[in-house]
């Protein structure tokens, strides 16, 4: 690969993305390159470059100096592109089967050039269309156990962990999560976004002092606990899949935080599907939640027993204590994700896409109720059935 040094920052266009691709020598001389900007996320440009002769493609993701969804009024650090590229590289070393390959990254241009995953589908989109992704939970359980264990104090030497925590210090992106996941949805502030029909429920939520206290504790945990290098935004819009393959993209929110945050966000996004499905399709989502946790704990346990570096790894009861903490945290973080994606700034299509208003409102009320229960009742719940039974409650089941 013929890699050239790049110049100072400028936003790419479809034309300049092709020129850059040629400069990088990622295709052969005879390639006939086409480019389309396909970004559908909140923050960045994503250019899809294909060679119409070989049908091969690459992706160039570029951070803008502001949040794309809001515009220039919301400046945002370009450093997130470096965090994303480095996280992809590190997670790719730990489990290459679940992470796209990074071909090139340029800090000044804030770009990451990576493997084209267009043969797969974003799982949120696929789920909404009725897909089941039979191996998704097995793959994500393994992905989380490997990335989280191997970047934790249980697996790496003290100094290395501290260096990584500094390298992945990500204050601006963490602030987004602190505001939009852990703060704003619990208060009457302008950034919240919900239908008038939900107002009574939302006011109850804002006045629920027990909920506020538990949300405050979860926020504190997110801010202060440097347990492992998290993906930081592990929802079904950050996962590509098909029947047999799974790839996790978009770790620009990566930072050292509590392990249960990744686990809980993934659970919550499976639950949005459970809330919107019925019958055996709904059961399938509960099964995904259960398998995720089973595979996560099995894999984490094996890694702990075989590769644990921490002096107390062999101390009876310590691993069980750690897994119990991760589970309780995950329930609480899942609750926050359910609430923020329902009434906060950034929604999910699983709920917003329900066309029938009465059904959409009922689904959103169920998500809010489930979120509140998970946050308030998470303590001492030792089994994954707690999260499943919460959403299965008849009062939370929507009659579609
Ligand atoms: N490696 C890839 N291969 C194919 N498409 C991709 C790839 N990465 C991103 N995309 C497309 O771009 C969209 C936005 O990417 P994402 O990384 O989620 O951006 P953002 O950080 O702005 O949310 C994805 O939903 C997907 O459609
Ligand atoms: C305006 S940032 C809000 C929201 O966007 C990120 O999601 P996505 O991956 O869809 O771009 C992240 O979840 C932030 O909380």
């Amino acid at each position: 690969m013929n890699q050239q040094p790049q110049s100072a920052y400028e936003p790419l266009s479809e034309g300049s993305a092709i020129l850059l691709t040629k400069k990088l020598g990622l295709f052969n001389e005879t390639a006939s390159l086409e480019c389309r900007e396909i970004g559908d996320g909140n923050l960045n440009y994503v250019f899809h470059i294909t060679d119409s002769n070989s049908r091969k493609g690459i992706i160039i993701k570029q951070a803008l100096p502001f949040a794309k969804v809001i515009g220039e009024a919301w400046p945002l650090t370009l450093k997130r592109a470096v965090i994303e590229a480095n996280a992809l590289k590190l997670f790719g070393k730990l489990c290459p089967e679940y992470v796209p390959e990074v071909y090139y990254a340029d800090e000044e241009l804030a770009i990451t050039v990576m493997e084209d995953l267009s043969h797969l589908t974003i799982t949120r989109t696929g789920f909404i269309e009725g897909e089941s992704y039979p191996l998704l939970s097995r793959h994500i359980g393994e992905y989380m156990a490997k990335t989280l264990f191997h970047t934790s104090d249980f697996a790496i030497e003290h100094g290395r962990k501290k260096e990584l925590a500094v390298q992945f210090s990500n204050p601006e992106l963490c602030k987004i999560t602190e505001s939009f996941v852990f703060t704003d949805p619990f208060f009457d502030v302008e950034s919240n976004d919900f239908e008038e029909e939900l107002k009574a429920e939302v006011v109850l939520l804002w006045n629920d002092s027990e909920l506020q206290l538990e949300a405050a504790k979860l926020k504190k945990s997110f801010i202060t606990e440097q347990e492992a290098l998290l993906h930081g935004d592990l929802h079904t819009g950050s996962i590509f899949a098909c029947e047999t393959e799974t790839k996790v993209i978009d770790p620009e929110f990566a930072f050292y935080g509590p392990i249960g945050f990744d686990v809980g966000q993934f659970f919550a996004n499976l639950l949005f599907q459970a809330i919107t499905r019925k019958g055996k399709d709904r059961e399938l989502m509960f099964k995904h939640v259960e398998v995720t946790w089973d595979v996560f704990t099995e894999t984490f346990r094996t890694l702990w027993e075989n590769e644990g570096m921490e002096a107390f790894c062999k101390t009876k009861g310590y691993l069980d204590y750690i897994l119990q903490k991760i589970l309780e945290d995950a329930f609480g973080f899942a609750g926050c994700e359910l609430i923020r994606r329902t009434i906060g700034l950034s929604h999910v299509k699983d709920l917003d896409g329900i066309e029938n208003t009465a059904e959409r409102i009922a689904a959103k009320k169920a998500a809010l109720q489930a979120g509140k229960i998970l946050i308030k009742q998470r303590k001492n719940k030792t089994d994954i059935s707690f999260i499943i039974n919460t959403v299965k409650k008849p009062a939370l089941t929507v009659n579609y």
Side-chain angles (χ1 to χ4, degrees):
M1 192 185 309
N2 174 23
Q3 296 179 353
Q4 307 287 324
Q6 298 304 312
S7 57
Y9 183 83
E10 59 178 51
L12 292 174
S13 62
E14 292 177 343
S16 61
I18 289 182
L19 290 177
L20 173 67
T21 306
K22 286 185 175 160
K23 229 174 176 180
L24 292 174
L26 294 170
F27 291 87
N28 66 35
E29 300 273 294
T30 59
S32 165
L33 298 183
E34 293 168 0
C35 176
R36 222 159 46 86
E37 202 281 311
I38 58 165
D40 59 359
N42 288 316
L43 302 177
N44 306 292
Y45 276 155
V46 177
F47 295 95
H48 184 208
I49 292 123
T50 45
D51 171 13
S52 55
N53 297 328
S54 66
R55 318 301 303 165
K56 287 199 176 124
I58 58 156
I59 292 291
I60 303 181
K61 179 166 174 179
Q62 183 178 43
L64 295 164
F66 49 84
K68 193 179 81 177
V69 69
I70 306 282
E72 291 184 32
W74 184 354
L76 199 54
T77 178
L78 291 176
K79 197 192 162 209
R80 66 189 195 272
V82 180
I83 297 265
E84 174 158 354
N86 288 339
L88 284 172
K89 287 182 201 165
L90 178 53
F91 294 152
K93 275 195 194 131
L94 298 173
C95 41
E97 61 278 43
Y98 303 132
V99 181
E101 189 180 341
V102 173
Y103 302 134
Y104 177 78
D106 182 283
E107 180 164 356
E108 271 190 275
L109 274 178
I111 57 164
T112 307
V113 183
M114 70 184 107
E115 183 181 347
D116 179 12
L117 302 171
S118 303
H119 61 293
L120 307 175
T121 309
I122 290 288
T123 52
R124 189 186 305 289
T125 311
F127 272 151
I128 291 169
E129 288 166 359
E131 293 290 337
S132 57
Y133 301 118
L135 296 181
L136 179 74
S137 37
R138 177 153 288 284
H139 291 169
I140 295 298
E142 197 184 325
Y143 164 88
M144 291 194 298
K146 286 183 173 172
T147 57
L148 296 168
F149 177 80
H150 282 301
T151 57
S152 76
D153 286 297
F154 309 126
I156 49 176
E157 183 268 318
H158 164 95
R160 171 76 180 135
K161 142 81 191 294
K162 296 283 187 273
E163 269 171 28
L164 283 174
V166 171
Q167 185 190 351
F168 286 97
S169 161
N170 198 354
E172 283 191 44
L173 281 278
C174 284
K175 182 73 176 66
I176 290 179
T177 306
E178 286 159 30
S179 300
F180 297 138
V181 178
F182 291 109
T183 313
D184 294 0
F186 298 94
F187 296 92
D188 183 2
V189 295
E190 215 183 319
S191 64
N192 288 324
D193 176 18
F194 54 85
E195 290 95 335
E196 193 51 39
E197 293 93 324
L198 289 173
K199 186 71 189 256
E201 296 284 330
V202 175
V203 171
L204 276 178
L205 190 150
W206 288 337
N207 288 307
D208 185 336
S209 54
E210 190 191 346
L211 182 73
Q212 303 270 320
L213 175 60
E214 293 309 316
K217 291 180 193 170
L218 287 160
K219 179 179 175 182
K220 175 176 178 291
S221 157
F222 178 84
I223 293 172
T224 59
E225 292 179 15
Q226 300 199 327
E227 291 181 340
L229 182 63
L230 310 189
H231 176 284
D233 196 23
L234 192 54
H235 57 82
T236 47
S238 299
I239 304 171
F240 268 108
C242 67
E243 287 263 308
T244 54
E245 205 184 339
T246 305
K247 298 273 183 189
V248 179
I249 62 163
D250 198 15
E252 71 189 311
F253 283 78
F255 81 111
Y256 261 80
I259 290 176
F261 186 72
D262 275 358
V263 182
Q265 279 212 317
F266 184 60
F267 283 165
N269 283 273
L270 293 172
L271 293 181
F272 286 122
Q273 272 302 304
I275 288 168
T276 62
R277 290 177 173 217
K278 53 183 179 183
K280 66 175 180 22
D281 289 340
R282 177 175 164 85
E283 286 305 318
L284 209 135
M285 289 300 140
F286 294 133
K287 192 75 201 160
H288 269 323
V289 171
E290 202 182 312
V291 172
T292 303
W293 181 246
D294 287 350
V295 172
F296 174 80
T297 50
E298 268 166 36
T299 314
F300 200 93
R301 193 174 285 281
T302 306
L303 292 170
W304 177 285
E305 282 161 5
N306 297 336
E307 298 177 44
M309 297 253 302
E310 153 64 44
F312 286 100
C313 272
K314 293 204 166 30
T315 301
K316 197 162 175 282
Y318 188 38
L319 172 60
D320 291 336
Y321 162 81
I322 295 295
L323 291 173
Q324 172 60 23
K325 178 189 181 299
I326 295 172
L327 187 65
E328 278 179 26
D329 287 354
F331 289 152
F333 292 132
C336 295
E337 176 75 354
L338 285 167
I339 291 173
R340 76 101 169 199
R341 294 287 193 185
T342 306
I343 61 171
L345 173 97
S346 181
H347 287 200
V348 287
K349 206 172 163 207
D350 315 53
L351 298 183
D352 278 3
I354 303 172
E355 280 177 19
N356 179 295
T357 304
E359 288 177 359
R360 188 177 62 256
I361 297 300
K364 290 190 174 187
K365 284 184 180 169
L368 290 179
Q369 286 307 328
K372 288 205 288 191
I373 294 170
L374 292 176
I375 292 172
K376 291 202 281 191
Q377 297 178 20
R378 69 190 189 282
K379 284 284 167 202
N380 303 318
K381 295 294 185 297
T382 54
D383 200 281
I384 192 65
S385 59
F386 168 60
I387 194 167
I388 295 168
N389 291 336
T390 296
V391 175
K392 270 191 180 171
K393 279 180 196 293
L396 272 65
T397 302
V398 182
N399 290 317
Y400 293 104

